[in-house]
Amino acid sequence: MENTQKMNEKTKSGISLKDRALDIFSRYSMVIILVFLLIVFQGMTDGIFWRPLNITNIVLQNSHILVLAAGMLLVVLLGHVDLSVGSVMAFVGAIAGVMMVNNKMSPWLTVVVCLAVGALIGAWQGFWVAYVGIPAFIVTLAGLLMFRGLTQVVLGGQSLAPFPTIFTKMSTGYLPDILGGEHLHVLTMIIGCLIAAFMILSQWRARERRKKNLFEIESMNAFLVKSVFTAVVIIGMSYVFAAYKGYPIILIILAVIVAAYSFLTNKTVAGRQIYATGGNKKAAELSGIKTKKITFWVFVNMGMMAALAGLILASRLNAATPQAGTSMELDAMAAVYFGGASTSGGIGTIMGAIVGGLVMGVLNNGMSIMGVGVDWQQAIKGLILLLAVVLDIYNKKKRI
C-alpha cells in the first residue's frame, strides 16, 4: 500500500514537472529558439557570428524591421494586418530625399514632416477600416499599390543621395565614449550594468507585488536563476557592443520604443482596450469600449511607425530609392506571428515581437555568412512563418 502511494506521488510529481517544463517552453519558446540559433550559428560559422562587428551589423540591418514589428503588433492584436507598410516606408523615404537632398531642408524639420505624413497615411487607412468597415486586408493592399506608385512619381524612378551626415547618424552612429576607453567602450559597460540592475529590481518588485496580492509566485531559487540569466545576457551583450564601438544610436531608439510600447500595452487603459477589442470585439463594445476609435488610432500609430522605419532605412542606405521597403510588410508580420501573436487577435507582446524579429534577423545573417542563397533564405523564412501559425493553432486547441 505504501509502495503504491509512493509511486502515485512520483507520477504526480513527474506530471507536474512535465507540465511546468511545457509551460516554461510555451512562455519563453522564442527566447530559447533565439539562444539555440546563436549557439548553432557560432559553431557553424567558425566563430565569425559572435564577433562584435557582426552582432552590431545584425542590429543595424534589422532595426527598421523591429520598428515595423512594434507597430504591427498593435494591428495584429486587433485581428487586422497592414500590407502597405513597405510602400509607406519607400514613400516617406522619397519625401525625405526630396526635402533634404533636393531642397536642402533641415533634417530635424524633415523628420517631423515625414512622421506627420505617416500619421496622415495611417489616418486615411484607419478611417476606411474603422468607420466604413472595409476589411484591413483590402484597404492596405490598395495602400501598398498606391504608395508604391506615388514613390515612383516623387522620385521619377531615380534614387536621391546622399543625405546630410547628421541624418545618417541615426542608423549608423554610435554612442560617444565620454569616459575615453581605449580598447573597450566604458560608457556602454556602465549603462549595461545599470540596465541589468534596473531589470532585476523591476523583477523583484513585480514578485513582491504578486506576493502581497496573494498570487502564485516563483520560488526564490527560480527567481535567482532568472535574475542571474538576465544580468548575464544584458552585461554580456553590452560587452559585445563595447568591444566594437559601443551601443549604436539606433539601439537606444529601439530601447525607447520597446519601453514605450511595453508601458502602453501593460500599464494603460488604452492597452487593455486594444487587447479586449482584439479578443472579443462585440463584448468590448458592450462593455463601453469605443472599438472604432481604438482601431483608427492603432492605424495612425502604424503609419507613424512605418514612416520612422522608412527614415531609418533611408538613413542606413544613405539614399532614397523606389525599391526601398519591398516585402518589409511580410518580414514585420513574420516577426509578430513568430513572436507568439495570435492570427485572430488579442494575444501577443512587444517583447515577443522584438524577439521574433531578432530570430528572423539572426537567421538571415547566419545563413548569409554560411553562403546560403537568397532563394533558399526566402523559402526557409516562409516555412518558419507557417510553423509559427501552426504552433499558434496548436496552442489554441490545447487551451480549449
Side-chain angles (χ1 to χ4, degrees), residues 103-390:
N103 297 315
K104 310 300 180 183
M105 296 181 68
S106 165
W108 301 107
L109 176 62
T110 300
V111 169
V112 172
V113 171
C114 287
L115 291 178
V117 169
L120 287 174
I121 292 172
W124 163 263
Q125 299 189 137
F127 169 77
W128 296 108
V129 176
Y131 294 106
V132 181
I134 301 176
F137 182 90
I138 301 299
V139 173
T140 57
L141 178 60
L144 180 152
L145 300 173
M146 182 169 64
F147 295 112
R148 184 63 64 180
L150 289 175
T151 302
Q152 294 282 354
V153 172
V154 172
L155 293 178
Q158 303 294 322
S159 297
L160 291 178
F163 285 113
T165 303
I166 191 173
F167 179 71
T168 59
K169 288 290 184 182
M170 179 170 63
S171 60
T172 60
Y174 298 86
L175 188 69
D177 191 2
I178 57 177
L179 300 178
E182 186 175 350
H183 301 293
L184 196 68
H185 201 280
V186 179
L187 182 59
T188 294
M189 290 302 303
I190 293 174
I191 293 174
C193 292
L194 292 175
I195 293 173
F198 175 78
M199 292 295 293
I200 293 172
L201 181 60
S202 298
Q203 291 173 358
W204 173 259
R205 286 179 175 176
R207 184 178 186 274
E208 289 300 303
R209 280 196 300 269
R210 291 182 63 85
K211 183 179 179 180
K212 183 179 179 181
N213 294 323
L214 302 180
F215 288 119
E216 183 180 355
I217 60 172
E218 69 225 317
S219 66
M220 181 55 69
N221 289 336
F223 174 78
L224 290 175
V225 169
K226 186 171 71 172
S227 299
V228 170
F229 177 78
T230 300
V232 169
V233 169
I234 294 175
I235 296 175
M237 290 304 300
S238 298
Y239 177 80
V240 171
F241 287 116
Y244 183 52
K245 293 182 179 181
Y247 284 137
I249 292 175
I250 191 61
L251 183 62
I252 298 172
I253 296 174
L254 284 171
V256 172
I257 291 173
V258 170
Y261 274 76
S262 295
F263 180 78
L264 171 67
T265 53
N266 296 324
K267 304 293 185 181
T268 67
V269 174
R272 290 191 288 271
Q273 289 178 344
I274 291 172
Y275 279 102
T277 302
N280 191 322
K281 186 177 180 180
K282 289 185 178 180
E285 289 175 344
L286 291 172
S287 65
I289 296 174
K290 298 178 180 179
T291 58
K292 291 181 180 180
K293 184 178 179 181
I294 290 290
T295 302
F296 175 80
W297 284 109
V298 163
F299 273 92
V300 171
N301 172 78
M302 184 71 257
M304 289 186 65
M305 296 303 286
L308 178 59
L311 291 171
I312 291 171
L313 180 60
S315 171
R316 188 170 68 84
L317 297 177
N318 197 20
T321 66
Q323 294 78 30
T326 302
S327 299
M328 290 301 171
E329 59 277 348
L330 302 181
D331 287 338
M333 287 189 290
V336 173
Y337 290 134
F338 198 56
S342 172
T343 53
S344 58
I347 298 174
T349 63
I350 180 62
M351 285 309 301
I354 296 300
V355 172
L358 288 175
V359 168
M360 302 301 290
V362 166
L363 280 170
N364 287 335
N365 184 269
M367 289 189 292
S368 296
I369 294 175
M370 293 172 60
V372 179
V374 177
D375 47 357
W376 276 107
Q377 289 187 31
Q378 294 291 337
I380 292 170
K381 286 196 295 183
L383 179 61
I384 287 173
L385 178 58
L386 177 62
L387 291 176
V389 176
V390 170

Side-chain angles (χ1 to χ4, degrees), residues 5 13 92 98 160 182 231 248 268:
Q5 188 176 357
S13 176
V92 169
V98 170
L160 291 178
E182 186 175 350
T268 67

